[in-house]
Amino acid sequence: MAYQNIPGPVCMAIFIAVFVSLELALVSAVHLREDRYTASCTPRKLDISEHHEDFLHVRVRRDVASPAPSNYSDTHLDFTDTYLDETEKHREAYMHWSGNKSNVIFILTRQRNLLGEVISSKLWQSQDYGSHYQKVSLTHHGKEALITFFYVSPANSSRLIFADTANKTLYITHDELKNVKTVKTVTIPFIPDRLKPHPTMADYVLGYTLQQRKLYVSKDFGVTWQDMNQDGVTPRVFWADAKYDKNETSVHVEVQTSNGLARYKICSIVSKCDAAEFESSVGSFDPFSMLVIKEYVFVQKSKVFESVMHVSYKGGDFKRAYFPPQTSTKDFLIVNADEGQVFIAVNHLSNANLYLSDATGQFYVLTIANCVFKPRINWFDVDIYEVKGISGTYIVNQIADNNGFRTRISFDKGGNWNDIPTPKSAKTKCNTSDCSIHLMVRGVYVLGILAEAKAPGILMAHGNIGTKLQDGPMSVFISRDGGWTWTQTSLAAGRYKFNILDQGSVLTAIEDASINLTDSVHYSLDEGKTWQTEKFLSSKQIRVDGVLNEPGITSLIASVYGHENKGSIWTVVKLNFSSVLTQKCVQDNYTSWSPADQMEKQHCILGRKIVYERRKQDSLCYNGDDYRRPTSTKTCQCEKEDFECDYGYIASKANCTKAGWFNKDSIINECQEGKKFNSSNGYRKIAADACTGGKADDDKYKPSLMTCPTVKPGDLKIQTDQPIAATNSDVVFSLIQGKGSKVSTKYLWSFGDGSPPVTKTSLKNSSVKHSFTKHGLKNVTVTATNAKGSVTKSLEFRVEDKITRTIVIVPSATKVNHLTNFDIDVFGPLVSNNQAHIHFLWTFGDEVGNVRPLLSWERRVQHSYSKPGNYTVTAEAINSVSTVYKRYNVQVFEKGIIIRLNFSPNAESYHFDKNIFHKLMFLQLLKVALSLTYGEGANRLVVQIHKTNPVLANVLLVPSQDPQDMSTADFVSRIQTAAKSRTLLIPMDGKEKSKIIYVVGAQLVNDSGPSAPDIKGPNMRAVYIAVPVLLGAAFVTILVIVYYKRKFREVRRYSILRQRSDSDALLGADEDDDPPLDLNPDFGSNDRADDDQLDLGTGSHLVMVTGRGDGGDNSINC
């Protein structure tokens, strides 16, 4: 799941999604993560009457505290409980709180039907920190808006866009809806399935429509929109980042092409996408796999049992990412890409390992093997947690020898892993030597571990003491030193929702909805040393779906959300701990602390020693929203611990030695000849490490600077977006080279059509454009040659002629149960009927139900009708590059006679089976001859060629209502007489005797036998098959639309290159196939949850999922 720290000042947002099940008990879980944002929102106080008719029911209470420890003052917790009227059917709610002193809160509640469509919604607003709420009514042309979602500008949190997707309408505010009269109502030209505000430029917004798969851009915050002129856009779209991209108004775009694969390009919002070319260094890759994370762009290419990842670093060419080759790589999960290094999890099918990259993101070394992971269909998840506030600290669960889990921690981004020491007070609980603390890192039902960047060192977690992690109720543990040591709290074993308030001065734990109804909160004012319990509801209990503190954790306010029962309305309880902590901290209440203090050998972490100021544990005071935590950072000298074994080397007896599988050519292959490269001596400095001097100056740890040699080219791959092309159309062939030198290499292209070969002088310019003049299977080859050797690669490529028109011979009439011929011929500048790959789809108008069209590779089909009437016949000629469609009317009579005519032998010389024009002329002359000779009008005669060798024709005489018309018996008799005397002739070429065709025989076709079966569909002996060549792209598009309309999840159905966020929701047993939630996703994220849009833009987010068995409330404090 995509997790990104978007730079620039943003405001806080709170976001709740709740799904209330009618079948299941309300179950929920919370998971929190912090992004490093700053906020710039201006608060505005509004006094609101409690008795206003549009306001919710609000009650304010001050509860009586339970007996407190001696060091607690005799104080009471304030709470306000609010009830959202008319929300008993609204199973989802989204909440936005700008934070940083802004007093405005929005809540959007929604109801969906069984198809997932939003059918009802209500928007609520509070302008006093959630004490009171008022319903907001947005209307357009007198009709109330059906708000389906809203978006917040990361650059200015006062700007919001409320989207009415069904009516293609946006409601835009620049002041958090403080003045509804200033809202701009805009009707837009596309369905706004998702909007993407720019992270730093408030006026710019991207819009994506799933149905059209197109991208739009607005430069005035949604008022006007322009098409970016690109078809096939996937939701993998990312705004450029000013820190890493040349132009921050450009857009990284993934485009799915006609062959089903994806291509990558960077589009300018000025010149649009049609002016941008696809990136040639990577070619095609798995759709929905592109990720843009800071200076890296990742894509994935998959085979049946193995996948490879390609990465572009700082806008450079894409290069293959290399992992130790002992096991195949199936799927990838980006854990972190901060500080110039990629931390990635790899699914090897049987196990999952964690790897660290070099600065370029290309070469990876193992950091820890056999992590606890959960494989799911087309994706996977890993039990790892990044500790917020302590850079480079990670906690992971590893599979132990006893098939249990053991919890390990690293303070240097995976350089070294340690078991977490067992708390001294808990060692008596087990006597075995392998007894230790085990933590729930990523809980299924509730939050695993909680840490906040603004409360460095404090962690809350569920776990147990023993030989392995156990199921069931768990104890609550607290760490005050970044996870190195832990203390078991006095709270009863269970499952809780955790929160940290006021930058660490208050810790809260509330019993989870999956356990019991509750009306109480447990809280600690001394970092978990002692706990107090107070009620927040006086007259009832609720199942708590989620708990959220004020964004930025700078206040003493927390909000509790839940339901009394399955069908009840929303209950929101505001907890205010300012009545408990009344004294503001002064300087004497603070002390200094460093994460490295508890480490015996190392005094620096990742080359730095950071000292934080924090409140003393027993100082019962609050920090306040104006507190800015002082920190000091000292850069350290490099020690051995600041280095790791380089790619291709393994640790052996405290040294790094070359691995048996490693071939240095794999590194040289990536080296641009003539330039310098660092030839490793087995060590590399940890990319995120800031140390200087010391061991870094030791030759043992320094690479050797060498000149890149010329290497024979290898691993060539020819790519094109058109697997089949039309004659005389331009085709672009590009080349991917996996190995060898590229600058001095020359590339010779040959196209297998007799055209002169084309030479390119470097890989950068190796793409060629070619037009084929004749159809057929072409063997396109390229030979790469340099001073060290050459290699050739070929690609079979098919060329077909375009069909521009067809001639279809369809009888204007026929009779019931008569097997009637239908003929078609195709034409084009170069096309011929004997070309392969031309096929035909027929419908005859009498199909019943869902009978598919008849597909035939022959130009003639036969069909009989079981009932009289008027029918519509359609004929479609198709090949891989074109299609022509025609439709005709056929009248079917109950009665009628058919005479079969034989002709003189010279009729065969006209080759009616091959020459459609001779056939048409012959039929027309025969019909005219019959009509003129025997006095029957052309409207009664229908003639068809029945067979071409020998030539036979059928003449249908349809019934007549005119008594003066010739009888059918006389008509048959006259024709038979003329055939014997050879007086019925067809002059094919004037009066030249040799060109005259005679009728030499006439027989009445006997249709008095058994009737033809009641055909329910086409009756030709043909195979019904799919037609993927022409319809493939459309079919893929339809699948994608259906898929994303239901869930709008990345993609990850197609490719498993993902980015991990610690805000991801954890799934229940019924959701094994669903990727997790991304609470601040980019277009490129693959968000789970039964929601189309989870991108609120900025802020603190809480996602609550109730009644589905997975828990799942998730919050992000930014």
Side-chain angles (χ1 to χ4, degrees):
M1 186 53 51
Y3 153 51
Q4 284 176 266
N5 295 321
I6 302 174
V10 297
C11 294
M12 316 307 302
I14 302 173
F15 153 34
I16 311 162
V18 178
F19 304 86
V20 182
S21 172
L22 297 177
E23 296 85 10
L24 302 174
L26 301 181
V27 185
S28 62
V30 66
H31 203 73
L32 295 95
R33 129 189 167 197
E34 174 163 11
D35 286 340
R36 284 154 279 185
Y37 293 147
T38 57
S40 58
C41 299
T42 303
R44 186 168 83 87
K45 183 72 173 179
L46 176 65
D47 295 326
I48 303 177
S49 169
E50 185 174 338
H51 303 290
H52 193 288
E53 63 179 1
D54 286 335
F55 282 74
L56 307 180
H57 301 307
V58 178
R59 294 185 296 177
V60 180
R61 297 286 186 272
R62 172 166 289 187
D63 201 7
V64 178
S66 59
S70 58
N71 61 336
Y72 282 66
S73 59
D74 186 15
T75 56
H76 310 287
L77 174 65
D78 282 344
F79 71 89
T80 305
D81 51 329
T82 305
Y83 303 93
L84 305 180
D85 288 338
E86 301 177 2
T87 60
E88 54 275 343
K89 292 184 178 180
H90 288 200
R91 302 180 181 182
E92 304 170 7
Y94 298 84
M95 185 176 181
H96 165 65
W97 192 349
S98 295
N100 196 29
K101 301 182 181 179
S102 174
N103 54 9
V104 178
I105 301 174
F106 291 101
I107 298 178
L108 172 67
T109 62
R110 308 191 315 185
Q111 177 188 0
R112 297 203 209 198
N113 60 18
L114 294 177
L115 299 177
E117 301 166 331
V118 177
I119 58 175
S120 175
S121 68
K122 292 184 183 296
L123 180 64
W124 315 90
Q125 183 193 49
S126 171
Q127 298 192 27
D128 57 0
Y129 291 99
S131 294
H132 303 82
Y133 287 89
Q134 184 178 19
K135 187 169 71 173
V136 178
S137 179
L138 299 173
T139 60
H140 185 43
H141 298 314
K143 182 179 179 181
E144 186 170 354
L146 179 63
I147 302 300
T148 51
F149 211 71
F150 59 89
Y151 303 85
V152 187
S153 169
N156 183 349
S157 64
S158 295
R159 294 187 177 194
L160 295 92
I161 299 177
F162 298 87
D164 182 344
T165 303
N167 297 305
K168 299 182 182 180
T169 305
L170 304 180
Y171 300 85
I172 302 168
T173 176
H174 287 237
D175 62 358
E176 295 185 300
L177 279 184
K178 293 176 182 177
N179 185 355
V180 179
K181 293 181 180 180
T182 64
V183 172
K184 293 181 180 178
T185 303
V186 180
T187 300
I188 61 176
F190 64 95
I191 298 173
D193 290 310
R194 182 169 287 184
L195 304 181
K196 179 70 178 177
H198 194 284
T200 59
M201 304 175 72
D203 286 335
Y204 293 113
V205 184
L206 292 174
Y208 180 75
T209 172
L210 180 64
Q211 186 175 23
Q212 297 173 302
R213 304 188 75 195
K214 293 182 72 68
L215 189 66
Y216 294 80
V217 64
S218 172
K219 301 176 184 178
D220 50 15
F221 199 64
V223 178
T224 60
W225 294 86
Q226 298 175 3
D227 190 341
M228 289 289 286
N229 297 336
Q230 179 65 62
D231 295 325
V233 178
T234 77
R236 294 285 181 133
V237 178
F238 302 81
W239 275 113
D241 191 323
K243 290 184 178 179
Y244 311 108
D245 294 293
K246 296 178 181 179
N247 184 355
E248 64 180 322
T249 61
S250 58
V251 185
H252 299 271
V253 180
E254 180 189 276
V255 179
Q256 191 171 17
T257 59
S258 58
N259 61 8
L261 296 175
R263 297 294 302 272
Y264 164 71
K265 64 167 57 178
I266 299 178
C267 303
S268 167
I269 64 172
V270 177
S271 57
K272 307 299 186 296
C273 287
D274 52 2
E277 294 184 355
F278 288 119
E279 171 59 44
S280 61
S281 64
V282 67
S284 300
F285 53 86
D286 296 352
F288 313 105
S289 73
M290 190 261 287
L291 278 176
V292 180
I293 311 171
K294 297 192 173 181
E295 63 263 55
Y296 305 101
V297 181
F298 303 93
V299 300
Q300 178 171 319
K301 299 185 179 185
S302 296
K303 299 178 182 178
V304 178
F305 297 108
E306 185 177 17
S307 301
V308 296
M309 186 176 75
H310 293 253
V311 59
S312 169
Y313 173 63
K314 291 187 176 180
D317 287 347
F318 280 84
K319 297 180 179 180
R320 176 175 175 172
Y322 288 94
F323 296 85
Q326 295 93 329
T327 54
S328 61
T329 55
K330 178 59 178 174
D331 302 316
F332 308 92
L333 181 69
I334 308 295
V335 175
N336 180 279
D338 290 340
E339 301 176 300
Q341 188 176 37
V342 180
F343 200 5
I344 191 170
V346 178
N347 178 9
H348 298 291
L349 295 180
S350 61
N351 67 308
N353 299 338
L354 288 170
Y355 297 87
L356 278 172
S357 77
D358 63 343
T360 68
Q362 186 183 6
F363 297 101
Y364 290 82
V365 296
L366 179 68
T367 173
I368 188 169
N370 296 320
C371 300
V372 174
F373 80 111
K374 185 174 183 180
R376 295 175 174 133
I377 296 177
N378 286 342
W379 76 286
F380 74 109
D381 199 9
V382 176
D383 225 11
I384 185 172
Y385 179 77
E386 180 184 5
V387 177
K388 306 301 185 291
I390 309 296
S391 179
T393 301
Y394 291 84
I395 300 175
V396 67
N397 274 330
Q398 187 181 37
I399 299 176
D401 294 336
N402 60 0
N403 291 323
F405 305 159
R406 61 173 179 170
T407 304
R408 310 197 75 192
I409 189 167
S410 172
F411 296 96
D412 55 3
K413 205 171 184 178
N416 297 279
W417 293 92
N418 303 281
D419 292 324
I420 297 178
T422 304
K424 294 180 180 179
S425 60
K427 286 187 176 181
T428 58
K429 296 186 177 181
C430 55
N431 300 319
T432 60
S433 58
D434 58 350
C435 177
S436 61
I437 184 173
H438 303 278
L439 301 178
M440 179 190 292
V441 175
R442 292 182 65 81
V444 175
Y445 295 106
V446 294
L447 173 69
I449 301 174
L450 171 64
E452 296 283 6
K454 290 189 176 180
I458 299 176
L459 286 83
M460 306 176 69
H462 290 92
N464 62 267
I465 304 295
T467 58
K468 62 182 180 180
L469 187 66
Q470 299 173 348
D471 295 328
M474 294 186 178
S475 300
V476 175
F477 292 87
I478 299 291
S479 174
R480 299 182 61 251
D481 53 16
W484 184 253
T485 61
W486 294 78
T487 302
Q488 186 172 342
T489 69
S490 59
L491 295 175
R495 295 183 186 271
Y496 297 89
K497 298 183 181 298
F498 302 140
N499 275 79
I500 300 175
L501 310 181
D502 188 45
Q503 302 184 64
S505 66
V506 180
L507 311 182
T508 68
I510 298 180
E511 198 166 16
D512 181 72
S514 62
I515 304 299
N516 288 309
L517 293 165
T518 187
D519 57 6
S520 301
V521 57
H522 309 282
Y523 65 90
S524 172
L525 306 181
D526 51 13
E527 298 178 355
K529 183 178 180 180
T530 58
W531 290 81
Q532 187 172 0
T533 302
E534 293 200 38
K535 287 189 174 183
F536 55 76
L537 288 173
S538 58
S539 60
K540 66 175 184 179
Q541 293 183 322
I542 62 172
R543 291 190 181 275
V544 175
D545 301 313
V547 183
L548 186 70
N549 50 275
E550 188 269 343
I553 70 166
T554 59
S555 81
L556 290 162
I557 296 174
S559 295
V560 181
Y561 306 89
H563 293 78
E564 187 175 2
N565 54 56
K566 298 177 184 178
S568 63
I569 60 176
W570 280 93
T571 298
V572 183
V573 183
K574 175 184 174 182
L575 306 180
N576 191 344
F577 288 88
S578 61
S579 61
V580 177
L581 279 180
T582 58
Q583 187 69 37
K584 185 172 174 53
C585 296
V586 296
Q587 192 58 45
D588 288 345
N589 298 121
Y590 293 99
T591 186
S592 298
W593 170 78
S594 173
D597 288 345
Q598 69 275 5
M599 304 177 72
E600 296 179 1
K601 297 180 180 180
Q602 293 175 259
H603 299 288
C604 299
I605 297 176
L606 292 177
R608 293 179 291 265
K609 181 167 185 178
I610 303 177
V611 179
Y612 299 91
E613 178 183 275
R614 69 177 182 181
R615 198 194 68 164
K616 295 177 181 177
Q617 186 174 18
D618 294 324
S619 294
L620 301 185
C621 58
Y622 67 91
N623 294 302
D625 56 16
D626 57 350
Y627 175 67
R628 301 294 179 265
R629 188 179 306 278
T631 61
S632 64
T633 303
K634 175 185 176 182
T635 301
C636 306
Q637 277 198 339
C638 294
E639 301 293 340
K640 181 180 179 181
E641 290 75 17
D642 297 303
F643 295 85
E644 62 189 0
C645 291
D646 207 343
Y647 177 78
Y649 294 82
I650 57 175
S652 176
K653 297 181 179 179
N655 290 306
C656 294
T657 60
K658 183 175 174 294
W661 54 263
F662 180 56
N663 180 1
K664 268 199 172 184
D665 286 345
S666 62
I667 306 297
I668 296 175
N669 279 325
E670 300 293 334
C671 179
Q672 185 172 327
E673 61 211 279
K675 292 190 175 182
K676 303 292 183 179
F677 78 103
N678 291 319
S679 179
S680 176
N681 290 320
Y683 297 87
R684 72 183 188 192
K685 184 182 171 184
I686 297 172
D689 200 296
C691 73
T692 59
K695 296 289 186 182
D697 297 328
D698 190 331
D699 289 341
K700 176 180 179 180
Y701 298 95
K702 292 168 61 177
S704 301
L705 192 63
M706 300 179 65
T707 301
C708 297
T710 299
V711 179
K712 178 184 175 180
D715 284 357
L716 301 183
K717 183 178 181 181
I718 302 173
Q719 294 194 140
T720 178
D721 291 334
Q722 302 171 250
I724 303 170
T727 49
N728 296 320
S729 64
D730 289 334
V731 183
V732 176
F733 296 95
S734 60
L735 181 65
I736 305 296
Q737 181 176 327
K739 294 180 179 179
S741 301
K742 302 169 185 176
V743 175
S744 66
T745 302
K746 294 183 178 180
Y747 303 88
L748 182 67
W749 289 89
S750 177
F751 303 98
D753 60 352
S755 62
V758 176
T759 300
K760 297 290 183 175
T761 56
S762 70
L763 186 66
K764 276 283 188 181
N765 304 312
S766 64
S767 295
V768 293
K769 183 185 292 185
H770 187 72
S771 177
F772 296 91
T773 59
K774 295 182 179 179
H775 69 267
L777 192 63
K778 311 298 180 182
N779 187 36
V780 179
T781 63
V782 60
T783 300
T785 305
N786 61 25
K788 294 296 183 179
S790 65
V791 64
T792 298
K793 184 68 175 179
S794 62
L795 172 72
E796 283 193 342
F797 187 79
R798 196 164 82 238
V799 181
E800 295 186 8
D801 298 321
K802 276 190 175 181
I803 304 170
T804 57
R805 66 189 183 98
T806 60
I807 294 179
V808 184
I809 301 178
V810 174
S812 59
T814 186
K815 62 177 291 189
V816 170
N817 296 328
H818 175 67
L819 202 58
T820 306
N821 295 332
F822 297 83
D823 297 300
I824 185 170
D825 279 81
V826 297
F827 298 91
L830 297 171
V831 75
S832 62
N833 282 290
N834 59 359
Q835 286 186 28
H837 308 293
I838 297 178
H839 45 275
F840 310 96
L841 290 178
W842 294 85
T843 64
F844 300 97
D846 61 343
E847 293 83 3
V848 177
N850 296 321
V851 174
R852 293 170 291 179
L854 174 68
L855 185 145
S856 172
W857 299 92
E858 303 296 332
R859 290 182 293 122
R860 165 172 286 188
V861 296
Q862 293 178 310
H863 183 75
S864 65
Y865 291 91
S866 61
K867 296 179 181 178
N870 292 311
Y871 297 91
T872 298
V873 175
T874 68
E876 186 172 9
I878 302 169
N879 67 5
S880 300
V881 295
S882 57
T883 178
V884 176
Y885 175 86
K886 296 285 184 66
R887 58 188 299 164
Y888 305 88
N889 292 323
V890 176
Q891 186 173 7
V892 179
F893 292 91
E894 180 72 38
K895 297 180 179 180
I897 65 165
I898 296 176
I899 302 172
R900 183 159 297 157
L901 305 180
N902 302 72
F903 300 91
S904 55
N906 63 333
E908 297 174 17
S909 65
Y910 287 93
H911 302 290
F912 296 138
D913 58 333
K914 298 178 181 179
N915 193 318
I916 185 69
F917 299 105
H918 283 171
K919 182 193 295 185
L920 289 173
M921 183 172 66
F922 173 76
L923 290 174
Q924 186 64 27
L925 291 174
L926 175 60
K927 187 173 182 180
V928 171
L930 290 169
S931 180
L932 292 177
T933 303
Y934 303 106
E936 291 301 323
N939 60 333
R940 286 193 67 190
L941 298 177
V942 180
V943 295
Q944 272 195 302
I945 291 182
H946 175 69
K947 192 175 179 181
T948 59
N949 189 15
V951 177
L952 303 175
N954 287 341
V955 180
L956 169 67
L957 181 66
V958 300
S960 174
Q961 303 297 323
D962 189 347
Q964 296 182 0
D965 283 345
M966 183 184 299
S967 68
T968 56
D970 287 343
F971 182 74
V972 172
S973 176
R974 288 191 183 188
I975 290 181
Q976 290 176 336
T977 300
K980 291 180 180 179
S981 61
R982 296 198 175 190
T983 57
L984 183 58
L985 51 88
I986 300 95
M988 293 293 291
D989 191 7
K991 296 182 179 180
E992 185 177 345
K993 190 173 182 180
S994 64
K995 302 295 184 182
I996 297 176
I997 299 175
Y998 296 90
V999 177
V1000 297
Q1003 301 85 32
L1004 186 65
V1005 176
N1006 184 10
D1007 284 329
S1008 61
S1011 298
D1014 186 12
I1015 304 296
K1016 302 301 182 182
N1019 63 344
M1020 177 180 174
R1021 291 176 297 173
V1023 179
Y1024 290 99
I1025 64 171
V1027 193
V1029 176
L1030 185 67
L1031 304 181
F1035 181 66
V1036 170
T1037 300
I1038 293 171
L1039 284 181
V1040 170
I1041 288 176
V1042 172
Y1043 172 75
Y1044 274 97
K1045 272 297 182 187
R1046 293 186 61 191
K1047 302 267 187 176
F1048 214 106
R1049 323 187 260 246
E1050 295 252 239
V1051 141
R1052 293 182 172 168
R1053 297 292 181 190
Y1054 292 81
S1055 177
I1056 318 302
L1057 177 57
R1058 313 193 173 177
Q1059 187 183 6
R1060 164 69 171 274
S1061 165
D1062 282 309
S1063 65
D1064 295 347
L1066 301 172
L1067 306 178
D1070 60 336
E1071 296 181 290
D1072 286 352
D1073 298 347
D1074 295 338
L1077 279 170
D1078 180 4
L1079 302 174
N1080 192 11
D1082 225 311
F1083 273 8
S1085 66
N1086 291 284
D1087 35 336
R1088 188 206 106 8
D1090 299 321
D1091 187 69
D1092 314 296
Q1093 312 139 318
L1094 293 176
D1095 189 357
L1096 277 174
T1098 67
S1100 176
H1101 307 289
L1102 175 62
V1103 179
M1104 298 185 297
V1105 185
T1106 67
R1108 300 190 310 142
D1110 63 347
D1113 68 345
N1114 290 263
S1115 70
I1116 307 173
N1117 292 314
C1118 310

